[in-house]
Amino acid sequence: MKRIFFVLSIILFTFFISCEKDKKNIEKQVDKLLENVDEKIDEGLNTANDAIDSSLDKAGETIEDVKKNAEDTLSKSLEEASKTIEEAKENLKK
């Protein structure tokens, strides 16, 4: 009877050690997967941030271009208006 308990104890102990090894391997694999997921998330965030920064830069450039064009148009319109006023003054003097 003692031998049976002894053999069963050895079998259970061996099974326990095997389960612990499997558990450690599973934990290692899960840790690797989580690291990969974290890396992919970081890469995605960096890509998204780069795209946002690029879009904001382009939007800023576009706004500056529109502002410059508006200023140029306004300047030209004022010049033309001044010329027209001068011509009108000259025509009134005649």
Side-chain angles (χ1 to χ4, degrees), residues 2 8 21 42:
K2 289 182 181 182
L8 286 176
K21 286 181 182 178
D42 289 342

Side-chain angles (χ1 to χ4, degrees), residues 11-86:
I11 292 171
L12 287 174
F13 184 72
T14 305
F15 179 73
F16 176 75
I17 291 174
S18 175
C19 289
E20 283 298 314
K21 286 181 182 178
D22 289 344
K23 180 182 172 186
K24 287 179 183 179
N25 287 334
I26 290 170
E27 287 174 351
K28 286 180 185 178
Q29 290 176 356
V30 168
D31 288 343
K32 285 181 184 178
L33 286 173
L34 290 175
E35 286 175 15
N36 288 338
V37 168
D38 286 343
E39 287 176 10
K40 295 297 181 185
I41 289 172
D42 289 342
E43 288 174 9
L45 288 174
N46 289 338
T47 301
N49 284 334
D50 291 345
I52 289 169
D53 290 343
S54 176
S55 297
L56 290 174
D57 290 343
K58 287 179 183 177
E61 291 171 5
T62 302
I63 289 171
E64 288 299 318
D65 290 345
V66 168
K67 181 180 173 184
K68 184 179 178 187
N69 288 337
E71 289 173 352
D72 290 346
T73 302
L74 182 60
S75 294
K76 288 178 184 176
S77 296
L78 289 174
E79 286 176 21
E80 289 178 15
S82 294
K83 287 179 185 176
T84 304
I85 291 171
E86 289 299 320

